Amino acid sequence: MNFYQQQVKNVFEQLNTSQEGISNEEAQKRLEKYGENELKTSEGTPKWVLLLSQFKDVLTIMLVVASGMSLLIQNYRDAIVMLSIVVINVIIGFFQEFKAEEIMSSLKELVRSPAKVYRNGEIQELSQQKLVPGDIISLEEGDKVPADIRIMESHNLRTNDVALTGESMPQEKHSNQINEERSVADRNNMAYMGTNVASGSAKGVIVSTGEETEMGKIASLTQEEERSQSPLQQELTVVANRLAIFAVLIGILLFGVSIYRGLDLYYALIYGLGITVAIVPQALPMQVTVALSQGIAKMSEQNAVVKKLSSVETLGSTNIISTDKTGTLTKNEMTVKHVWFNDQEYEITGLGYKPEGDILDQDGNPLSEEKIDELEIMFDAATMASNAEIHSPDEDHSGWYPIGDPTEAALITLSTKLDTRSPKEDKENPELHEFSFDSERKRMSSIRQFEDSKVLTMKGALNSVLSVSNYIYKDGEKVEITEQDKQRLNELNEKYSDQAMRVLAIAYRKLGPDETDYVIDEIERDVVFLGLVAMIDPPKEGVKEAIEDAHQAHINTYIMTGDHAITAKAIAEEINLGAKGEMPVITSQDLQQLSEEELKHKMNENESIVFSRVSPEDKLRIVKQLKEQDKIVAVTGDGVNDAPALKSAHIGVAMGQAGTDVSKETAEMVLLDDSYPTLVHAIKQGRTIYNNLKKTVLASLTSNGAELSIVLLGLIGAALFGWPIPILAIQILSIDLLAEILPLTALTFDPGSEELMTTPPRERDEHIINRNSTIEVLFLGILMGGLAFINYGLFVSGVGNELTESHALYPRATTITYLTIAVCQLINILSRRYKFTSLFNRNLFSNRKMIYSILLSIVLVLTVVYMPGLNSYLDFAPVPIQDWFSILSAGGIFLLAFEGVKWYKRKNA
């Protein structure tokens, strides 16, 4: 029901309650009916299910099948090696991903503190879980709102709703009925679960608890959303499925041909197994997992924590960033930026509540201490008419933080950074009486004792303060205020307001000795107008530059905020969001009037859009529309209201310092420093990792093409010449494990190119395996396998046709085949570092991990070839120097061919 549109007495009737609340017995009945006032969280995936899910990868399944085939033909050695690869893949994948399963569990923490409730006509403290619709509760400054509440009595109540709506400023709340329909952010006779009381007090009737609250609806939206599969996951799934179909068809075909040629069942199975193992890139899942893990380690060193492996490369594909404003682009800390005093305008430096900064004159020069002393009268009046405090960082706060109203905290920060506020101010000038702020007067004032005199200090909206101002402070004395003065002040007020700044007027009056009856209309009169203070929630450091980097990288940026359109547009203009063209501002009301087709047209027509006053449902709709357009969407946010969009996006990015636990646990990535530039750097890192993974995949598939070629050529040699198979399945596996896994992993450490962030992100339908890359992989793979078969054939021809599997020289023959492929593969990996550039360039040694890994791989290969016992176990044999001549010659031919491929690509680029 829309309780905000009803009178309080009607709410009482519908909920069967009264001013005194309900009885404990009735509360127990309602608790059984409605359930506890807590937000249910989605159950995490059991660890055993998560472990089994690691086996769903097609390449892993095929490796298990291949090992099973080895067991069937009693080839236990090959089976053990293949199963070892499977176990390594599964362990790495499991331990990297199981930590991300505790999504949304922290929602329960929002309702853990006790609440003041009227039961049986008496006030008592109860656990928030025990609250039910119809309960009457009391709220005071600093309280968490325990449920959704229709306000029945309000005493200058203002609530901080940023976690729910994204609204940066505390919202005034009252008890009046609202006739028209309004969004959640504008229902100012309601207070909602998960928000806080910034100032004032109130009583209210609970109308919704648990999952029926607005917070609960957001939780439901979050749990309903499926996590998106990353582009690389989709790509590898396509590759794996194609390889699986190809492997099965070729394996069956060659098994049939082997039987037709008269080979026995055992020999035919050996061939079938060889084909299966050759086509499947056994180590590819592990290589990708290790590469992404390394990317996560790099990014964590730079304050970007990624919780899911696939999210690393998703960043590199991102072409849309939909970002929250408050706390993400801005500090969510009110900051005084301008001061007007004595007909002079001053600028204040420094951001947030950290009391560091200067006051500058109109020429940009810091004021002298003498000049600051002249302004102290206004700063003192502002702080004495404020109740907030600011505190230095502690165990619970990473930075300076406020207690009380953010606007008042900004005034305290201003005086503290300029050293005009005494730490003992409240003791030196004690407050005698306070007239609190209310929405009708739009001002507040405080009577202070100054030695033998009393002074009224005042702050509030300009029109309100001007209405009781008879004087204005000029050149150290008070003079009568003129219409010209008022016109000038109104012009300044309009100027600051157009820049989305909140403007406060400051005034004071010395009270007479006989003014002891503190009647508001008698006291708040004939004040001396001191000046104006303009404040805003400012953009964070480096955001403007990061937005520019995103523009250069062809990444479109949208703002999705609960703030007002004027405020959102002003921030967007300050950070140069619309540098590439028009930047429309679409409110939630506008959005509801747009059809899906019209919204799609707006998105395609504009590279930057500001969505203001949007609800969690609106944000979710925006993200879904972008996904339907095949955009790769990154969503940033820090509030509970951002959680559904964070989860629906391809990658959700939460703020680690200002972010709620809900947003951090929902997101796949957390920025520890809440820095937008860190996100842009992470996108660059994501692009680098994807490019390196592309090199890894193509290099891996090239060697698999070579292994497939050598097996097929071996089958032809066996059919035509009676030659034994040129390479064994265990040796094919040894190529992957010894000769390439370390260099392929080191390939992921290649630094990004200079033009990486000036080119568009890859298209959604762009695949690693496309027509050109397939032709290249086939050519180089067949060449590599062909060179190995030629070397094998030359050796067999030299020995004679009597060479069989039982011949003493047969292990040496297969070792020559193995070494030829291993050498060519190392050259292949080195050459893959550069798409167009020759291998021989000045950056050849820029990736030292690559050089070290190749040297280590060479040592491992030579060890299994020459170490007695180990070589015989793996069916290798030592090769003399004369054999190395043909092996290295084949490597040289392969290198020349690869250089020719690059020359052709440069020519046609």
Side-chain angles (χ1 to χ4, degrees):
M1 298 182 181
N2 291 332
F3 290 103
Y4 71 93
Q5 293 180 308
Q6 301 180 34
Q7 293 183 0
V8 172
K9 64 179 182 179
N10 294 335
V11 175
F12 283 168
E13 291 175 3
Q14 293 188 39
L15 296 177
N16 193 20
T17 187
S18 67
Q19 291 268 8
E20 289 74 33
I22 58 178
S23 66
N24 289 326
E25 294 76 14
E26 177 63 21
Q28 185 59 38
K29 292 178 183 178
R30 297 190 185 190
L31 192 63
E32 294 173 0
K33 177 180 178 180
Y34 296 107
E36 289 193 340
N37 180 34
E38 62 180 1
L39 305 179
K40 295 180 181 179
T41 59
S42 55
E43 296 294 330
T45 305
K47 292 183 180 179
W48 66 271
V49 174
L50 190 61
L51 181 63
L52 291 179
S53 69
Q54 304 300 316
F55 291 91
K56 66 183 180 181
D57 185 271
V58 174
L59 301 182
T60 302
I61 292 172
M62 292 194 66
L63 202 56
V64 172
V65 171
S67 63
M69 292 174 62
S70 295
L71 291 173
L72 285 175
I73 60 178
Q74 299 182 343
N75 190 352
Y76 301 115
R77 179 188 56 187
D78 291 10
I80 290 172
V81 173
M82 286 185 276
L83 286 175
S84 298
I85 296 175
V86 171
V87 170
I88 293 172
N89 285 340
V90 167
I91 289 175
I92 292 176
F94 173 76
F95 281 104
Q96 286 290 341
E97 295 192 7
F98 87 96
K99 293 181 181 179
E101 288 298 314
E102 298 178 352
I103 297 172
M104 300 303 291
S105 62
S106 68
L107 277 168
K108 293 182 179 180
E109 298 303 318
L110 294 172
V111 290
R112 291 299 186 194
S113 56
K116 295 179 281 293
V117 189
Y118 288 87
R119 291 272 177 90
N120 299 323
E122 297 180 353
I123 192 167
Q124 53 186 284
E125 281 197 353
L126 288 178
S127 168
Q128 293 187 13
Q129 288 100 311
K130 303 303 180 183
L131 300 181
V132 295
D135 267 330
I136 307 299
I137 70 165
S138 174
L139 293 173
E140 296 176 355
E141 183 174 323
D143 286 348
K144 281 186 178 180
V145 180
D148 285 5
I149 297 162
R150 171 65 164 90
I151 297 168
M152 42 191 276
E153 295 177 14
S154 174
H155 304 283
N156 305 317
L157 178 68
R158 288 193 289 173
T159 61
N160 190 346
D161 298 346
V162 63
L164 180 67
T165 66
E167 173 62 61
S168 59
M169 294 298 300
Q171 301 300 293
E172 295 180 21
K173 299 297 176 80
H174 55 70
S175 60
N176 297 340
Q177 177 187 1
I178 299 173
N179 294 319
E180 71 274 11
E181 187 172 339
R182 292 186 184 179
S183 65
V184 171
D186 294 319
R187 297 172 187 172
N188 51 13
N189 60 5
M190 298 285 294
Y192 294 102
M193 173 189 280
T195 64
N196 295 282
V197 178
S199 61
S201 61
K203 285 178 67 175
V205 54
I206 294 179
V207 296
S208 300
T209 59
E211 292 185 312
E212 296 303 314
T213 62
E214 294 298 326
M215 192 73 73
K217 294 173 184 176
I218 294 176
S220 300
L221 287 172
T222 307
Q223 292 171 5
E224 289 169 4
E225 282 302 307
E226 294 289 334
R227 288 197 180 274
S228 302
Q229 193 179 42
S230 81
L232 182 62
Q233 287 176 312
Q234 297 170 357
E235 173 75 0
L236 290 181
T237 299
V238 171
V239 173
N241 290 339
R242 291 174 181 174
L243 287 173
I245 295 171
F246 187 66
V248 170
L249 293 177
I250 295 296
I252 293 174
L253 176 62
L254 292 183
F255 177 78
V257 170
S258 301
I259 296 295
Y260 178 76
R261 288 285 185 178
L263 300 176
D264 60 30
L265 180 63
Y266 176 82
Y267 206 54
L269 284 174
I270 286 289
Y271 276 123
L273 177 60
I275 292 296
T276 303
V277 173
I279 294 178
V280 177
Q282 301 91 355
L284 186 58
M286 181 171 63
Q287 290 160 358
V288 172
T289 301
V290 170
L292 293 175
S293 299
Q294 293 295 335
I296 287 176
K298 284 183 183 179
M299 296 169 80
S300 65
E301 294 173 358
Q302 297 163 345
N303 292 316
V305 176
V306 179
K307 302 194 300 183
K308 195 172 180 65
L309 291 177
S310 57
S311 301
V312 176
E313 60 85 23
T314 307
L315 276 170
S317 304
T318 299
N319 47 29
I320 293 285
I321 297 177
S322 291
T323 175
D324 182 35
K325 179 189 75 68
T326 306
T328 303
L329 297 177
T330 64
K331 292 182 70 69
N332 193 21
E333 298 177 5
M334 293 302 294
T335 304
V336 175
K337 300 297 292 181
H338 294 282
V339 168
W340 183 89
F341 174 79
N342 196 18
D343 207 27
Q344 295 290 320
E345 199 171 358
Y346 302 97
E347 181 182 352
I348 311 296
T349 64
L351 297 177
Y353 300 122
K354 187 176 182 179
E356 292 183 0
D358 292 309
I359 181 167
L360 310 178
D361 61 22
Q362 293 176 334
D363 296 324
N365 301 314
L367 297 191
S368 63
E369 290 187 15
E370 181 181 351
K371 194 68 176 177
I372 293 176
D373 289 342
E374 293 179 13
L375 278 76
E376 186 173 352
I377 185 173
M378 186 174 80
F379 298 155
D380 284 348
T383 56
M384 290 182 188
S386 302
N387 295 316
E389 299 176 0
I390 58 171
H391 293 271
S392 59
D394 54 31
E395 293 181 358
D396 299 323
H397 302 86
S398 59
W400 284 77
Y401 65 96
I403 298 215
D405 187 280
T407 301
E408 295 183 349
L411 297 175
I412 301 297
T413 303
L414 170 65
S415 291
T416 305
K417 71 170 63 172
L418 299 179
D419 200 26
T420 63
R421 182 173 186 265
S422 168
K424 301 178 181 179
E425 182 175 274
D426 289 333
K427 291 183 178 179
E428 295 170 349
N429 308 114
E431 185 176 65
L432 303 178
H433 191 80
E434 178 180 305
F435 298 108
S436 300
F437 178 91
D438 64 59
S439 56
E440 292 183 5
R441 288 165 47 246
K442 294 188 180 300
R443 61 178 181 263
M444 70 90 65
S445 57
S446 172
I447 300 174
R448 298 277 183 158
Q449 183 73 48
F450 276 79
E451 298 179 351
D452 295 333
S453 62
K454 292 178 289 186
V455 176
L456 174 78
T457 60
M458 177 185 294
K459 73 176 191 307
L462 175 63
N463 289 337
S464 174
V465 175
L466 281 180
S467 68
V468 293
S469 297
N470 282 353
Y471 307 95
I472 189 169
Y473 191 87
K474 289 185 178 181
D475 300 324
E477 56 185 42
K478 69 175 186 178
V479 297
E480 287 192 12
I481 193 167
T482 66
E483 289 301 319
Q484 186 178 359
D485 291 328
K486 293 182 180 180
Q487 181 179 350
R488 170 65 172 153
L489 290 169
N490 282 314
E491 289 173 354
L492 285 167
N493 184 53
E494 186 176 348
K495 168 188 168 183
Y496 293 140
S497 298
D498 288 344
Q499 298 173 17
M501 293 189 183
R502 183 173 190 185
V503 183
L504 289 180
I506 312 297
Y508 84 103
R509 180 170 77 89
K510 289 185 179 181
L511 303 183
D514 57 339
E515 292 185 273
T516 55
D517 294 331
Y518 301 139
V519 178
I520 189 168
D521 292 336
E522 294 294 326
I523 295 295
E524 288 189 342
R525 62 178 176 81
D526 300 333
V527 299
V528 180
F529 193 95
L530 288 170
L532 297 175
V533 175
M535 63 184 68
I536 195 172
D537 177 17
K540 294 180 178 178
E541 301 90 337
V543 166
K544 184 174 182 179
E545 293 77 11
I547 291 290
E548 177 60 30
D549 289 342
H551 283 321
Q552 290 184 1
H554 302 267
I555 299 171
N556 295 343
T557 306
Y558 296 163
I559 289 179
M560 302 187 302
T561 179
D563 248 338
H564 289 280
I566 294 176
T567 305
K569 184 177 181 181
I571 293 296
E573 289 175 347
E574 186 170 349
I575 62 177
N576 207 20
L577 184 71
K580 299 177 73 175
E582 290 296 322
M583 185 186 61
V585 178
I586 300 175
T587 65
S588 177
Q589 189 174 2
D590 298 333
L591 189 61
Q592 292 173 13
Q593 303 300 320
L594 294 176
S595 66
E596 292 302 320
E597 193 60 36
E598 290 171 331
L599 178 58
K600 178 181 178 180
H601 178 71
K602 287 276 187 184
M603 290 176 168
N604 290 330
E605 195 177 46
N606 300 281
E607 293 176 325
S608 299
I609 301 177
V610 176
F611 293 96
S612 70
R613 302 301 279 172
V614 288
S615 66
E617 292 85 355
D618 292 330
K619 294 183 180 183
L620 197 56
R621 179 189 173 193
I622 293 166
V623 173
K624 286 184 174 181
Q625 175 58 243
L626 289 169
K627 289 168 67 177
E628 288 178 6
Q629 297 176 38
D630 289 330
K631 304 291 187 182
I632 306 297
V633 186
V635 170
T636 74
D638 60 0
V640 177
N641 60 314
D642 299 312
L646 286 171
K647 190 174 183 183
S648 176
H650 292 97
I651 178 166
V653 184
M655 302 297 116
Q657 294 179 359
T660 60
D661 287 344
V662 174
S663 64
K664 285 184 278 191
E665 293 181 7
T666 304
E668 287 92 349
M669 177 175 164
V670 179
L671 303 181
L672 296 181
D673 57 359
D674 289 12
S675 171
Y676 201 83
T678 299
L679 171 60
V680 176
H681 184 83
I683 290 176
K684 179 181 179 180
Q685 188 66 38
R687 289 190 179 188
T688 300
I689 291 170
Y690 182 81
N691 287 346
N692 290 340
L693 280 174
K694 183 176 181 179
K695 304 173 192 175
T696 303
V697 171
L698 294 179
S700 178
L701 293 179
T702 300
S703 70
N704 284 105
E707 294 156 2
L708 172 61
S709 300
I710 194 67
V711 173
L712 291 174
L713 292 171
L715 182 59
I716 294 173
L720 297 179
F721 311 116
W723 291 353
I725 187 169
I727 192 167
L728 304 176
I730 189 69
Q731 293 171 332
I732 292 176
L733 291 171
S734 297
I735 293 173
D736 295 331
L737 288 174
L738 303 178
E740 68 174 26
I741 188 170
L742 291 177
L744 284 175
T745 302
L747 195 57
T748 64
F749 286 88
D750 256 9
S753 61
E754 294 179 358
E755 62 273 7
L756 191 66
M757 290 297 283
T758 59
T759 56
R762 73 182 184 98
E763 295 294 333
R764 180 67 180 242
D765 56 356
E766 178 186 334
H767 297 294
I768 293 177
I769 305 301
N770 51 42
R771 179 178 176 274
N772 292 334
S773 63
T774 300
I775 293 173
E776 182 181 311
V777 166
L778 287 176
F779 170 71
L780 294 173
I782 292 172
L783 175 63
M784 191 185 297
L787 290 170
F789 185 73
I790 289 173
N791 279 348
Y792 173 78
L794 291 174
F795 182 82
V796 173
S797 300
V799 173
N801 291 333
E802 68 271 12
L803 187 69
T804 63
E805 285 84 354
S806 58
H807 195 283
L809 292 177
Y810 177 64
R812 179 177 162 189
T814 59
T815 302
I816 291 173
T817 305
Y818 166 80
L819 289 173
T820 302
I821 294 179
V823 169
C824 290
Q825 175 63 349
L826 292 176
I827 295 172
N828 175 45
I829 293 172
L830 270 173
S831 298
R832 287 285 176 193
R833 293 185 62 197
Y834 315 104
K835 184 176 181 180
F836 300 107
T837 308
S838 169
L839 172 62
F840 304 102
N841 65 79
R842 62 181 181 178
N843 296 318
L844 177 61
F845 300 103
S846 61
N847 186 349
R848 294 190 176 184
K849 290 184 176 65
M850 168 70 72
I851 304 302
Y852 296 148
S853 67
I854 288 179
L855 292 175
L856 182 56
S857 295
I858 291 173
V859 171
L860 292 174
V861 168
L862 294 178
T863 299
V864 298
V865 169
Y866 289 101
M867 180 177 286
L870 181 60
N871 54 11
S872 60
Y873 179 77
L874 297 175
D875 288 331
F876 288 115
V879 296
I881 294 178
Q882 61 266 28
D883 291 337
W884 276 104
F885 177 78
S886 60
I887 293 169
L888 295 177
S889 295
I893 294 172
F894 182 81
L895 176 58
L896 289 174
F898 209 135
E899 290 292 317
V901 169
K902 290 184 178 182
W903 173 83
Y904 179 80
K905 289 196 291 186
R906 287 196 300 270
K907 182 181 178 181
N908 292 278

